[in-house]
């Protein structure tokens, strides 16, 4: 049995991880530490039984230390971050604060609690991104754990710095760390600023689908539940001090992802006439292809051209392999967004911020 502290557990991947862990390790204790920034949403944790959510900032080292002691935490899984590249271009300071200083604050607290008085068994798992490795040419070999770091955006630079801090706390102080660098996630509870949920919701509303540049940028798409299984594999079987690359085995140009999305929305409307009543502004409601919404816009500055992951180490050492193809994962994701309209409407109109009032006001 373990006592887990999950930072950023009210965000997209963190919340999926909490649900996953609750289901697969029901005897473990799970505490979520989250500052509930715009990306944090209490509703993401609805239905996760026996999970305590503590609203706090990872930069508050004293609070983190108290939490580690109070709940006798032995495993910290660190998701909390500013995570959107476009936001980092417009406002890099928050990324430096949260991703770098916040990670240092967690490491400081973990060291104080876990390494004092001869130490106790523990694990600090740091969740990072393949973006720290920079960008690939069309024929370059995929990123692996030995690829030199070459981050290009303020986001990826801040994540790269945090990876280095985690590594240093292991080598210098003996903190028992692991790190995973994964590719682009998609799935339930993803904030609709990222490509897949943004384009899905826009297609349902008949709004333009803004394609950056030529749309030929390549990402490796990883269903979030496969990512959670990868983190589980690292926690259970990974070697301390090591890093593991986790991918989805689905390297696709953006334009292919967007065309798949448009075709899937069209097929869903064709199969279920009730969708046309729910989403009357969708082109698909009138039998017009959703692809008619595709619009080319200016490219993102410094836009990385290609990411790809060689996950040989994770496969051979810890038995990780993605369980879904992109087609399967995407179909399940579309179904989730169609079935959970209340969730994304509350995010779009901002009322998710009032979740506590709505749910507890009368109690
Ligand atoms: P997200 O933006 O959806 O969620 C981030 C969470 O962290 C939110 O709940 C937010 O409230 C919380 N948070 C932010 N600042 C905080 C602070 N100072 N103190 C406490 N909590 C704070 O992000 P995500 O997409 O779920 O990503 C989770 C992690 O995975 C991040 O570290 C990100 O870099 C990494 N990652 C994400 C992807 C992806 O495709 N989304 C890919 C690779 C790696
Ligand atoms: P995003 O979901 O922001 O993830 P990341 O930048 O971390 O890879 O974007 C995925 C890809 O989609 C990326 O190449 C940028 C592109 N993109 C668009 O073309 N239009 C958009 O509106 C967004 C949000 C992303």
């Amino acid at each position: 049995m373990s006592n887990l502290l999950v930072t950023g557990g009210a965000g997209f991947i963190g919340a999926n991880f909490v649900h996953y862990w609750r289901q697969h390790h029901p005897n473990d204790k799970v505490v979520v530490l989250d500052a509930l920034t715009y990306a944090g949403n209490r509703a993401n944790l609805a239905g996760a039984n026996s999970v305590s959510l503590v609203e706090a900032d990872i930069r508050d080292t004293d609070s983190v230390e108290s939490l580690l002691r109070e709940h006798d935490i032995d495993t910290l899984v660190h998701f909390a971050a500013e995570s959107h590249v476009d936001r980092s271009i417009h406002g890099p300071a928050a990324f430096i604060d949260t991703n770098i200083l916040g990670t240092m604050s967690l490491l400081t607290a973990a060291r104080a609690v876990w390494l004092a008085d001869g130490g106790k068994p523990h694990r600090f798992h740091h969740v990072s991104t393949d973006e720290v490795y920079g960008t690939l040419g069309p024929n370059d070999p995929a990123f692996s754990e030995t690829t030199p770091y070459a981050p290009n955006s303020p986001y990826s630079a801040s994540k790269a710095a945090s990876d280095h801090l985690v590594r240093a706390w292991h080598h210098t102080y003996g903190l028992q760390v692991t790190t995973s660098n994964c590719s682009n996630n998609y799935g339930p509870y993803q904030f609709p600023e990222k490509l897949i949920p943004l384009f899905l919701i826009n297609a349902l509303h008949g709004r333009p689908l803004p394609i950056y540049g030529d749309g030929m940028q390549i990402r490796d798409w990883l269903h979030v539940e496969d990512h959670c299984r990868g983190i589980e594999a690292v926690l259970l079987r990974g070697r301390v001090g090591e890093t593991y690359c986790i991918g989805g085995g689905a390297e696709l140009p953006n334009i292919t992802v967007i065309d798949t999305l448009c075709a899937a929305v069209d097929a869903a409307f064709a199969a279920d006439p009730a969708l046309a009543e729910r989403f009357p502004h969708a082109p698909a409601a009138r039998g017009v292809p959703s692809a008619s919404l595709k619009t080319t816009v200016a490219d993102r500055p410094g836009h990385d051209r290609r990411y790809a992951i060689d996950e040989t180490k994770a496969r051979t050492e810890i038995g990780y392999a993605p369980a879904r193809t992109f087609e399967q994962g995407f179909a399940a994701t579309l179904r989730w967004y169609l079935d959970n309209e209340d969730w994304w409407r509350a995010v779009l109109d901002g009322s998710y911020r009032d979740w506590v009032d709505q749910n507890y006001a009368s109690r």
Side-chain angles (χ1 to χ4, degrees):
M1 269 179 63
S2 292
N3 295 338
L4 272 73
L5 182 67
V6 180
T7 73
F12 161 48
I13 308 175
N16 277 282
F17 178 80
V18 168
H19 288 290
Y20 179 91
W21 203 266
R22 265 274 138 272
Q23 197 183 340
H24 294 271
H25 304 271
N27 295 325
D28 286 355
K29 177 166 161 182
V30 177
V31 179
V32 167
L33 163 58
D34 200 297
L36 298 178
T37 67
Y38 80 93
N41 184 344
R42 287 175 189 268
N44 294 357
L45 293 171
N49 294 326
S50 324
V51 171
S52 341
L53 168 59
V54 179
E55 187 175 346
D57 196 305
I58 55 170
R59 290 167 298 177
D60 180 352
T61 314
D62 291 344
S63 291
V64 178
E65 237 190 273
S66 304
L67 271 179
L68 292 175
R69 289 188 207 285
E70 184 189 338
H71 296 280
D72 196 19
I73 300 295
D74 50 45
T75 305
L76 190 156
V77 190
H78 176 30
F79 294 95
E82 289 293 335
S83 69
H84 190 39
V85 174
D86 292 331
R87 286 181 190 255
S88 83
I89 294 168
H90 296 290
F95 288 71
I96 308 307
D97 274 355
T98 291
N99 300 357
I100 305 180
L101 299 179
T103 300
M104 193 190 77
S105 164
L106 289 178
L107 290 164
T108 304
R111 181 181 165 215
V113 174
W114 287 338
L115 296 181
D117 307 326
K120 58 178 273 193
H122 65 270
R123 175 70 69 86
F124 186 112
H125 181 71
H126 176 55
V127 178
S128 191
T129 168
D130 60 357
E131 304 194 22
V132 298
Y133 301 121
T135 185
L136 293 169
N139 300 315
D140 289 340
F143 300 136
S144 76
E145 294 78 5
T146 54
T147 304
Y149 274 40
N152 291 321
S153 71
Y155 164 67
S156 55
S158 67
K159 291 297 289 187
S162 68
D163 294 8
H164 293 324
L165 292 176
V166 170
R167 177 188 162 91
W169 257 245
H170 171 64
H171 283 275
T172 304
Y173 305 114
L175 199 70
Q176 308 284 288
V177 308
T178 40
T179 295
S180 49
N181 295 86
C182 72
S183 53
N184 283 61
N185 284 224
Y186 67 99
Y189 304 114
Q190 188 166 30
F191 197 86
E193 62 185 353
K194 306 274 168 69
L195 180 74
I196 288 182
L198 176 73
F199 277 40
L200 265 181
I201 292 171
N202 281 9
L204 296 177
H205 286 95
R207 295 190 195 126
L209 308 178
I211 301 171
Y212 297 161
D214 64 2
M216 291 306 292
Q217 303 83 4
I218 292 175
R219 300 291 183 264
D220 171 16
W221 293 92
L222 170 63
H223 189 274
V224 65
E225 196 177 316
D226 280 330
H227 183 198
C228 294
R229 292 175 43 256
I231 295 172
E232 178 189 43
V234 177
L235 286 172
L236 300 182
R237 296 183 289 281
R239 283 183 293 140
V240 165
E242 294 291 317
T243 66
Y244 295 89
C245 286
I246 298 178
E251 227 189 287
L252 297 169
N254 290 343
I255 203 71
T256 304
V257 172
I258 294 161
D259 286 338
T260 303
L261 183 152
C262 289
V265 169
D266 295 349
F269 274 71
D272 179 1
L275 288 177
E277 283 169 37
R278 282 171 60 195
F279 305 108
H281 301 296
R286 307 184 302 279
V288 174
S290 303
S292 60
L293 297 170
K294 290 195 290 186
T295 312
T296 298
V297 298
D299 208 351
R300 172 189 278 172
H303 199 170
D304 286 337
R305 197 68 184 161
R306 174 178 167 235
Y307 303 143
I309 290 232
D310 173 354
E311 64 207 15
T312 307
K313 181 176 173 184
R315 277 181 193 271
T316 51
E317 265 194 29
I318 57 174
Y320 166 74
R324 285 169 194 73
T325 62
F326 179 72
E327 289 68 25
Q328 293 165 334
F330 180 77
T333 303
L334 170 60
R335 179 47 46 207
W336 190 88
Y337 278 86
L338 289 174
D339 291 346
N340 290 276
E341 188 182 346
D342 289 352
W343 179 87
W344 54 260
R345 287 228 181 267
V347 171
L348 293 186
D349 70 18
S351 60
Y352 73 109
R353 316 283 290 166
D354 310 327
W355 196 87
V356 175
D357 293 344
Q358 286 161 14
N359 285 272
Y360 292 101
S362 56
R363 295 186 194 181

